[in-house]
Amino acid sequence: MVVERVHGAGVVRLWRGDITTLDVDAIVNAATRELAGGGGVDGAIHRAAGPELMRELRRRYPDGCPTGGAVSTAGHRLPARHVIHAVGPRWQGGGQGEPLLLDSAWTAALALAAPSISTGVYGFPVARAAPIAVAAVGAALAAPGTPLRLCTIVCFSETDLAAYRQALIGGSSDGGG
Ligand code: APR
């Protein structure tokens, strides 16, 4: 654990590591519209969950999921109980509604843990993606009646972590860790 911040009755936690190892209620995948698996975190989640994950996706969501949306499945062989498959926008320079679509993907996906949607293969600049993500997570945790209590944003690289840390705590000191 690297940084924590309280939002309403909940907590946003920023953590560096492999999201497939988290023993939580749900992790969030950065998926494609086809929900067909892929590289990056999507490939890692499918490898760790086993082939049952793809079978469930094909059976329940044969038409895939639009950009900005999310669907959920069981976690199968993962320690996480559920996987929420969020489809972020591919970065195309910022003039194609990408920030709104990324906010929509985060809002649709909000659960207990999430990777850095759209900032890998899809090329969304992480310095611009992190404030959208942190705002969406904070709003969801502070929403009246939400069952969410802890949301962990999982960053794979030190560079991503620095951008999310900046978005979460700015220049202030953190809880260490
Ligand atoms: N745990 C946590 N984060 C991870 C892991 C992991 N095991 N593996 C990769 N990441 C991070 C990347 O470092 C990046 O910061 O996830 C973030 C999102 O990157 P991508 O996985 O490339 O996702 P995205 O940019 O949304 O592109 C989606 O990539 O995964 C494929 O099939 C997916 O084609 C789709 C595209």
Side-chain angles (χ1 to χ4, degrees):
M1 195 270 289
V2 179
V3 180
E4 277 191 351
R5 172 152 271 193
V6 174
H7 277 271
V11 172
V12 185
R13 177 178 291 173
L14 193 54
W15 186 76
R16 184 171 177 208
D18 180 352
I19 200 167
T20 64
T21 65
L22 264 61
D23 183 356
V24 294
D25 290 327
I27 60 172
V28 181
N29 184 16
T32 63
R33 281 183 301 185
E34 297 76 21
L35 304 174
V41 70
D42 202 4
I45 286 174
H46 275 273
R47 278 193 299 279
E52 297 88 351
L53 177 58
M54 188 62 80
R55 279 200 281 278
E56 181 180 352
L57 283 168
R58 289 215 182 98
R59 181 170 49 80
R60 294 182 59 196
Y61 309 107
D63 299 327
C65 175
T67 301
V71 300
S72 75
T73 63
H76 298 283
R77 296 181 201 173
L78 288 162
R81 263 70 75 200
H82 303 276
V83 180
I84 295 172
H85 305 262
V87 185
R90 188 183 287 276
W91 182 254
Q92 297 177 84
Q96 309 292 316
E98 296 95 321
L100 276 178
L101 285 166
L102 183 62
D103 175 66
S104 169
W106 273 91
T107 303
L110 275 158
L112 304 183
S116 179
I117 303 168
S118 272
T119 66
V121 173
Y122 280 5
F124 208 115
V126 68
R128 295 179 67 171
I132 295 171
V134 167
V137 170
L141 280 167
T146 179
L148 293 177
R149 286 294 173 266
L150 172 66
C151 177
T152 305
I153 298 176
V154 181
C155 292
F156 213 42
S157 72
E158 193 62 52
T159 315
D160 284 359
L161 186 68
Y164 279 82
R165 185 187 180 98
Q166 180 65 31
L168 190 62
I169 62 163
S172 69
S173 63
D174 61 69

